[in-house]
Amino acid sequence: MKIIVTTNHEELSQRAADLVVDAVRAKPNLTLCLATGSTPTRTYELLAAPKNVKSDQFAQVSIIKLDEWGGLAMDDPATCEVYLQQHICQPLGINSERYLAFQSDSPTPEEECLRIQKALEKVDPIDLCILGLGANGHLGFNEPAEWLNPFPHVATLTQSTLQHPMTQQTDVAIPYGLTLGMANILQARQILLLVNGRHKRMLLEKLLASRITTGFPASFLWLHPNVTVICDQEANPGGHVR
Ligand code: GLP
C-alpha cells in the first residue's frame, strides 16, 4: 500500500486528479469506478476543469457508479446518481453507453444487482477505482459484518451510514443501499483511497494497522497489489505512514 500525505484537502484533490489524468493519458478508454461523498468532490471538480473538458481528455472513458442509496427516485438530490451526473457525467460528456450505474428506484433491487454483475462480466476489469473511507470502515456500502459479499448486493445500512450528510438532502427514509461487492472492488487494476479530515484519523490508523477483518471492510485493501492512499495531514495518524 502506497501512502501519500498531503498538506490539505486541496492538495489531496490535486494529487488524485493528476493521477486520474495520467491514467487516462496512458489508457484513453479507461474504466473508472467512482465513489461519491464529500471526500472526492474537489477531485471531480478539478477533473472537470475546462482544460480537460476542452481537450476531450475523457472522450473514451467509461464510468461505473460504485454504490447508491436505494429506494430514492433517480432524480432525488440525495442520490449518488445526481451527484455523479452533476460532477462527472455532464461536465465530462460521459454518455449512457459509457456509464454503468445502479437504478436507485428499481422495484426489484436484487435483480438490479444481478444486472450490474452481468454487465461487469461483459467488460474488461475496472482500471481505477476511487474510494472514500466510510465512517465505520465501509467501502461503497460494504458494511462491517460477520461476512462480506463479493458481488453487487442490496446492503442493510448501519445507523452511522444512514447519518451520512448525503441522506440529509432527502425527506425519504432510505431503506437499503446498492453497492458493488468486495470482489468487484478488489478486481480493479488500481485502487485509490482518499482520506481527509481529523474525523477520519482514527479510521486511517485502524486501516494502517494492517489487520484484515470483515469488521473493517477497508482492511481488505491489504489484499490488493496496487492501492494508493492519499490522505491529508489532518487524517494522517503520524508514525504509521511510510
Ligand atoms: C458513503 C458512501 C461511500 C463514501 C463514504 C465516505 O457512505 N457510500 O461510497 O465513500 O460514505 O463518504 P465521505 O467522503 O463523505 O466521508
Side-chain angles (χ1 to χ4, degrees):
M1 194 176 281
K2 183 178 172 194
I3 298 155
I4 299 171
V5 183
T6 60
T7 48
N8 52 33
H9 187 234
E10 184 64 20
E11 191 193 340
L12 174 157
S13 306
Q14 190 63 63
R15 292 289 290 265
D18 289 349
L19 197 144
V20 176
V21 168
D22 287 349
V24 176
R25 263 197 208 113
K27 187 180 180 194
N29 62 346
L30 197 82
T31 301
L32 273 173
C33 175
L34 299 180
T36 58
S38 63
T39 312
T41 304
R42 182 66 185 141
T43 301
Y44 300 158
E45 279 170 12
L46 292 166
L47 286 177
K51 66 172 180 318
N52 291 332
V53 176
K54 270 193 211 133
S55 61
D56 261 359
Q57 188 87 250
F58 289 78
Q60 298 174 52
V61 167
S62 297
I63 303 290
I64 297 174
K65 176 165 69 172
L66 173 68
D67 56 2
E68 184 57 279
W69 304 101
L72 302 182
M74 282 290 264
D75 61 356
D76 189 299
T79 54
C80 303
E81 182 65 26
V82 166
Y83 175 106
L84 281 182
Q85 287 298 335
Q86 199 179 320
H87 290 94
I88 290 287
C89 297
Q90 283 163 15
L92 297 179
I94 308 289
N95 61 34
S96 57
E97 278 158 33
R98 291 186 284 123
Y99 182 57
L100 176 63
F102 291 103
Q103 288 287 320
S104 54
D105 55 358
S106 169
T108 51
E110 272 88 8
E111 280 174 29
E112 177 61 3
C113 292
L114 209 55
R115 178 183 77 86
I116 296 293
Q117 177 59 23
K118 286 193 174 141
L120 287 172
E121 283 166 9
K122 281 194 201 128
V123 293
D124 286 341
I126 293 164
D127 290 299
L128 177 58
C129 183
I130 300 186
L131 300 172
L133 184 54
N136 56 9
H138 69 223
L139 296 178
F141 284 134
N142 292 274
E143 296 276 47
E146 208 175 314
W147 51 269
L148 301 177
N149 197 324
F151 304 120
H153 61 281
V154 178
T156 305
L157 301 177
T158 62
Q159 272 316 309
S160 83
T161 298
L162 286 167
Q163 281 164 16
H164 188 280
M166 285 175 88
T167 66
Q168 310 304 308
Q169 294 174 45
T170 184
D171 294 332
V172 180
I174 294 169
Y176 52 83
L178 297 160
T179 185
L180 296 197
M182 292 303 290
N184 302 128
I185 292 171
L186 292 171
Q187 283 161 13
R189 291 191 166 108
Q190 185 178 7
I191 295 175
L192 182 58
L193 176 72
L194 306 179
V195 190
N196 78 289
R198 181 78 186 82
H199 61 297
K200 295 278 176 84
R201 186 181 289 190
M202 276 174 67
L203 290 168
L204 186 54
E205 185 158 24
K206 200 164 172 182
L207 172 65
L208 297 179
S210 61
R211 294 187 176 158
I212 299 164
T213 164
T214 60
F216 194 78
S219 64
F220 276 68
L221 294 177
W222 286 101
L223 297 174
H224 192 280
N226 190 2
V227 176
T228 301
V229 178
I230 309 183
C231 70
D232 69 356
Q233 203 50 260
E234 286 196 335
N236 177 18
H240 294 278
V241 170
R242 51 216 87 187

